Amino acid sequence: MDIKSTNSTSVNTQSSTQNTANQQTTSSDTEPKLTNNQLSRQMMNNSILAAQEEVSIAAGDKSMALLYRAAIEAINEELAPTMGEDAVQKNAEEGIDYSPEATADRIVSFATQFFSVHQQQNQSMGFDEQVSSFMVKIGDAINQGFKEASDILSGLKVLEGDIADGVDQTYELIQQKLAQFAQDRLDANTANTETQEA
């Protein structure tokens, strides 16, 4: 009886080990392939997390640089299906001003330079609808970028004090500048229409 139970245990252990190996092989075969954007983003996030030990509360400029890069990356991803990969190029140069005002200016400038391309790709829409759909697309991308950057900064435990204030201020400035961009386009279109009718 002892021999039977020992053999049974041995067979069960081997069977269990084989099932686990089969499950691991199956799960790795069925995992979805990552796109270049997803792989790039994963590598960027991994490098940021690997550098966690070097981040300190006083690293406000580096936090704004991360925020800027995350927003640009999200805009790139949003525009990629219609405007190609890396439509918005990232600036990783040293010496760039990462104050909330300068960061907001750069993000809005990069995002809004593609409005004319959006218009060409959506000629069946009226002008107001072109402006509205473009602002939704860019707004969603910027929100995604801010969420991802905030999540990373929270994970690094530096999203507090001046850094949190800077992120909030940058977001508010971007929203104001995007609203002004849309209003300027609508006003210019109205003025052109009135001039043509006169």
Side-chain angles (χ1 to χ4, degrees):
M1 186 128 184
D2 289 335
I3 294 171
K4 284 183 183 178
S5 83
T6 303
N7 285 342
S8 170
T9 304
S10 175
V11 169
N12 286 343
T13 303
Q14 288 173 348
S15 175
S16 173
T17 304
Q18 180 136 11
N19 285 342
T20 303
N22 287 342
Q23 288 172 352
Q24 288 173 348
T25 302
T26 304
S27 69
S28 66
D29 291 342
T30 59
E31 286 180 7
K33 301 287 185 213
L34 295 178
T35 65
N36 286 341
N37 271 347
Q38 290 169 327
L39 187 57
S40 173
R41 183 175 299 237
Q42 187 178 23
M43 288 172 56
M44 181 181 82
N45 288 345
N46 287 343
S47 67
I48 290 168
L49 293 174
Q52 179 176 0
E53 296 170 7
E54 298 173 17
V55 177
S56 68
I57 300 274
D61 286 347
K62 291 189 190 320
S63 299
M64 295 306 289
L66 169 66
L67 178 70
Y68 169 71
R69 283 193 296 271
I72 294 302
E73 182 70 27
I75 293 168
N76 266 330
E77 191 173 306
E78 185 70 32
L79 297 178
T82 54
M83 299 180 197
E85 295 290 320
D86 292 329
V88 180
Q89 295 302 316
K90 294 170 274 196
N91 277 327
E93 302 166 19
E94 292 296 320
I96 292 178
D97 179 4
Y98 284 112
S99 66
E101 180 74 31
T103 302
D105 282 342
R106 263 194 313 282
I107 291 171
V108 171
S109 173
F110 283 137
T112 57
Q113 71 182 336
F114 296 99
F115 177 63
S116 61
V117 177
H118 178 78
Q119 282 184 285
Q120 291 170 359
Q121 293 175 344
N122 296 283
Q123 293 179 5
S124 62
M125 294 180 180
F127 186 80
D128 290 3
E129 193 178 357
Q130 288 174 338
V131 171
S132 177
S133 64
F134 181 74
M135 300 315 292
V136 167
K137 181 178 279 196
I138 294 303
D140 288 349
I142 288 171
N143 287 341
Q144 178 186 341
F146 266 78
K147 181 188 180 321
E148 290 174 4
S150 294
D151 288 348
I152 291 170
L153 292 171
S154 292
L156 297 173
K157 298 183 179 11
V158 296
L159 189 60
E160 52 191 48
D162 290 343
I163 294 172
D165 292 344
V167 169
D168 291 343
Q169 185 180 2
T170 302
Y171 184 81
E172 289 171 16
L173 288 166
I174 288 171
Q175 298 310 310
Q176 291 170 10
K177 291 172 188 298
L178 286 175
Q180 188 62 55
F181 172 85
Q183 190 60 51
D184 290 348
R185 295 305 160 281
L186 294 171
D187 290 347
N189 186 55
T190 301
N192 282 343
T193 303
E194 289 172 357
T195 301
Q196 289 173 358
E197 290 174 355

